[in-house]
Amino acid sequence: TAAAGSLLRELLAEADLTPERRGRAARAHSGLAANAAYDAPSTEVLADIIADPRLPIADRGEVRLTLGLRVAVQGGDRDGFALIEQAADELIAERPARAARALVALAMNERDGEGAAAWERMAKAAAALENEPDEEVAAAHRATRLTFQAREGDPGLWPELDRLPRDASSPELVRQTTRALFNVGDIAMETGHDQRAGRLLTESRALARQAAVSYLECYSRIALLRLDGLAGRWQGLEERFEALGTEYPDVAMARVERAMLFGRMAASRGRLAVARAEFESAARYGERESQVTTAIRAAAGLGAVELVERGAEAAAVVLGPAVAILRQAGAWARGGELLPIGVEVARGTGDEGAARHLTEEAAEALDGVDAPAAHAGLHQARGVLLEGTDPGGAIESFRRARDAWRDIGRPYEVAKSEERLARVLADRDPQTAAERLAAAEATYNTLGAASDAARCQHVRRDLGLGRMASPGRRGYGEALSPRERQVAELVGQGVSNQDIAQVLFLSPRTVEHHVASVLRKLGVGRKDVAEALAESES
């Protein structure tokens, strides 16, 4: 599209070009750009085109609509909605169906209080389509309506997806079907329908490739990688995200999902400085984006890091605005990550009333809503709320959270619920508590979450639950022991001895001993540990 744009610039520079030909050429390029993956040069071409005062108003509206969609949706910058709103004004007199398309796009913005006007804009778009029926714009309207149903956790959504046209002769109808499948699949992942999400995203990727809609193919690939992360398939995931980011360097979604994943994995491994930087990067994107979920997820991750490093008061500064966004947008079906950490931080600041209110508010909002992850998060939040006052209620809540996460298929969340359950069970049933803690630790070790696994060992010692069953201590000779391997992996990731001590709940002197042993056994210096570990595993 950038090459075509250069040719278009030359064509539009011709002084004797008729308005009709000028508009037709601009619309043709706009159609090309609409389906292409986001890149800065093509976006600059569109901006240059609408700056041409000789372009007919309605044609300028067409190009401005495409530019706005690229900026707001693919570029992840809600400033693009100002362009879309202006395009609607330019289109309404001559092309009401295209104005309806702009109104449908505007309805997708749920920030700055705009979500309250979404259904009103959809109604105005439907009215415009009555004046000028258009099958393709009607398909966009339907795709957006399905997106809203998914956001709200509407149980009636699923049968409607089966009726979407997969083999229509119109490329735009197929594109809108692909968009609907992607949007619903992506939101299904947010709400905890992970198996359905996988099927929908796989289908949207295949349809996008078939219809040559490269940006939707890219989006589907990104979402499927995220789904792998949620399912605990962490091996090689960082490299796959890096490769996708190289392939699509200007696509904002690739950058933000990479940051979220890297932040999550870094936190689980005790690399809190790295996790903080990644979540802060995602949060900056969330401030610009038109959807609220990125801001909510980034705040949940960053708030957890703040809680560990700086305490509840610092975490509350991060989480307060995110909870406000959650409430304003009514995004309770997508708030499963935020609820538990929100309640924990409120309790940590001594505000039991706020913790209770958030839990009760979420429970009321989620009544009858089809959002397994939000309900699992609510169970976890209730467990946190009840830990100090009603151990029996906390135990039941953590069990429900664990079972819900297990049904969804997210082992990391299962392990976190198991760990919290073990803490509450320790006084009542030490044997079961030890079993639950061992299960959590085993999952963390499988995932490579060294810091989480070490915390389980620390909790076991603090609660007097005894050691995990093992065949007995043995010597490892010149091979790395399990603890030395944990230390070696952190050294290979560039973690300092002081931070390793914090991550693994060890004394600095013990860490120094382990590092010296690792370097001796591997026969390398500190900067070469990662390479030596990789060679030993190949």
Side-chain angles (χ1 to χ4, degrees):
T1 56
S6 297
L7 294 173
L8 181 63
R9 278 193 178 113
E10 295 177 13
L11 176 63
L12 295 180
E14 295 180 14
D16 60 348
L17 198 65
T18 67
E20 183 181 353
R21 286 191 62 201
R22 192 177 297 277
R24 189 163 59 245
R27 291 198 310 273
H29 180 77
S30 178
L32 281 175
N35 291 330
Y38 184 87
D39 63 274
S42 296
T43 302
E44 290 168 5
V45 171
L46 292 172
D48 287 347
I49 293 172
I50 62 174
D52 184 349
R54 296 166 297 179
L55 197 65
I57 291 176
D59 292 325
R60 182 179 293 109
E62 290 278 7
V63 179
R64 198 186 304 275
L65 173 57
T66 297
L67 176 60
L69 287 169
R70 284 175 70 82
V71 172
V73 180
Q74 298 183 48
D77 186 346
R78 66 180 184 274
D79 285 349
F81 285 102
L83 294 166
I84 297 171
E85 190 164 13
Q86 189 175 352
D89 292 339
E90 292 169 329
L91 290 164
I92 190 64
E94 296 183 36
R95 300 173 192 168
R98 297 305 297 162
R101 179 66 187 91
L103 288 167
V104 167
L106 286 171
M108 288 293 291
N109 184 14
E110 60 177 342
R111 297 297 297 270
D112 308 317
E114 292 292 319
W119 285 112
E120 181 183 345
R121 283 178 169 143
M122 291 288 281
K124 287 182 178 178
L129 287 171
E130 287 182 5
N131 292 332
E132 185 185 22
D134 186 300
E135 186 182 29
E136 294 178 351
V137 177
H141 189 280
R142 176 177 53 196
T144 299
R145 178 174 53 79
L146 293 171
T147 300
F148 289 171
Q149 287 181 264
R151 279 184 187 173
E152 295 168 2
D154 182 353
L157 162 69
W158 309 112
E160 295 196 42
L161 291 176
D162 296 333
R163 292 193 285 271
L164 288 171
R166 269 73 165 177
D167 56 357
S169 58
S170 164
E172 179 60 15
L173 291 183
V174 176
R175 189 176 87 85
Q176 289 302 331
T177 291
T178 307
R179 173 174 164 257
L181 292 171
F182 167 75
N183 284 353
V184 174
D186 191 50
I187 297 169
M189 186 164 37
E190 299 284 359
T191 58
H193 289 286
D194 289 13
Q195 299 302 316
R196 272 185 169 136
R199 292 193 295 271
L200 292 170
L201 292 168
T202 299
E203 185 179 7
S204 70
R205 177 183 179 182
L207 270 180
R209 175 171 292 185
Q210 173 187 322
V213 187
S214 60
Y215 84 90
L216 283 173
E217 182 185 359
C218 169
Y219 284 6
S220 300
R221 289 171 62 190
I222 294 166
L224 286 166
L225 283 183
R226 181 185 166 204
L227 193 58
D228 279 346
L230 293 174
R233 296 185 284 271
W234 291 10
Q235 187 68 35
L237 202 52
E238 291 162 296
E239 292 77 10
R240 291 163 65 196
F241 251 113
E242 291 283 17
L244 195 60
T246 301
E247 188 176 349
Y248 298 100
D250 293 331
V251 174
M253 183 182 173
R255 296 195 302 273
V256 73
E257 290 300 344
R258 173 198 174 281
M260 292 282 201
L261 173 75
F262 283 25
R264 179 185 180 91
M265 296 174 75
S268 76
R269 294 165 179 169
R271 303 182 65 196
L272 298 184
V274 174
R276 175 186 297 280
E278 297 290 1
F279 286 130
E280 286 176 344
S281 172
R284 287 192 293 273
Y285 172 85
E287 290 173 2
R288 298 165 41 221
E289 200 199 17
S290 62
Q291 313 301 300
V292 300
T293 45
T294 296
I296 290 171
R297 290 168 54 209
L302 186 56
V305 172
E306 289 281 24
L307 183 61
V308 171
E309 282 201 312
R310 300 175 184 174
E313 295 290 346
V317 173
V318 172
L319 292 173
V323 172
I325 290 171
L326 176 73
R327 286 177 169 137
Q328 184 184 56
W332 298 100
R334 294 166 282 157
E337 288 186 42
L338 188 62
L339 292 176
I341 186 66
V343 169
E344 184 166 9
V345 167
R347 289 196 68 212
T349 61
D351 197 343
E352 293 283 342
R356 187 175 300 105
H357 177 62
L358 178 58
T359 306
E360 291 171 352
E361 192 177 6
E364 182 178 356
L366 291 170
D367 185 29
V369 171
D370 185 18
H375 287 288
L378 178 59
H379 289 317
Q380 187 84 353
R382 278 189 177 130
V384 173
L385 179 66
L386 297 173
E387 277 177 318
T389 58
D390 181 3
I395 289 168
E396 179 61 23
S397 293
F398 286 133
R399 278 180 175 151
R400 288 186 176 185
R402 176 199 62 192
D403 293 345
W405 287 123
R406 187 175 288 149
D407 289 343
I408 293 168
R410 301 189 186 179
Y412 188 66
E413 276 69 22
V414 171
K416 287 196 288 188
S417 296
E418 290 274 43
E419 184 184 348
R420 296 301 287 252
L421 175 61
R423 291 172 186 246
V424 185
L425 278 169
D427 289 337
R428 293 186 166 204
D429 187 348
Q431 178 61 37
T432 302
E435 292 171 359
R436 303 282 45 90
L437 199 59
E441 184 179 344
T443 299
Y444 290 144
N445 279 325
T446 299
L447 292 170
S451 180
D452 293 322
R455 186 180 59 248
C456 286
Q457 296 168 5
H458 184 68
V459 168
R460 181 181 296 106
R461 290 194 298 269
D462 279 357
L463 297 180
L465 296 177
R467 299 178 59 85
M468 283 181 65
S470 68
R473 186 176 182 85
R474 65 182 181 86
Y476 290 89
E478 289 305 301
L480 296 179
S481 70
R483 176 66 83 189
E484 287 170 344
R485 179 161 289 277
Q486 282 183 322
V487 170
E489 288 173 352
L490 291 168
V491 169
Q493 294 165 17
V495 183
S496 69
N497 282 10
Q498 182 177 350
D499 287 342
I500 292 173
Q502 180 181 353
V503 167
L504 298 181
F505 299 93
L506 301 172
S507 71
R509 184 182 295 275
T510 301
V511 170
E512 289 176 8
H513 172 77
H514 284 315
V515 170
S517 180
V518 164
L519 299 182
R520 179 183 60 79
K521 288 183 178 182
L522 294 179
V524 297
R526 194 177 184 107
K527 63 182 176 57
D528 297 319
V529 166
E531 184 179 350
L533 276 177
E535 290 177 356
S536 70
E537 293 171 356
S538 61

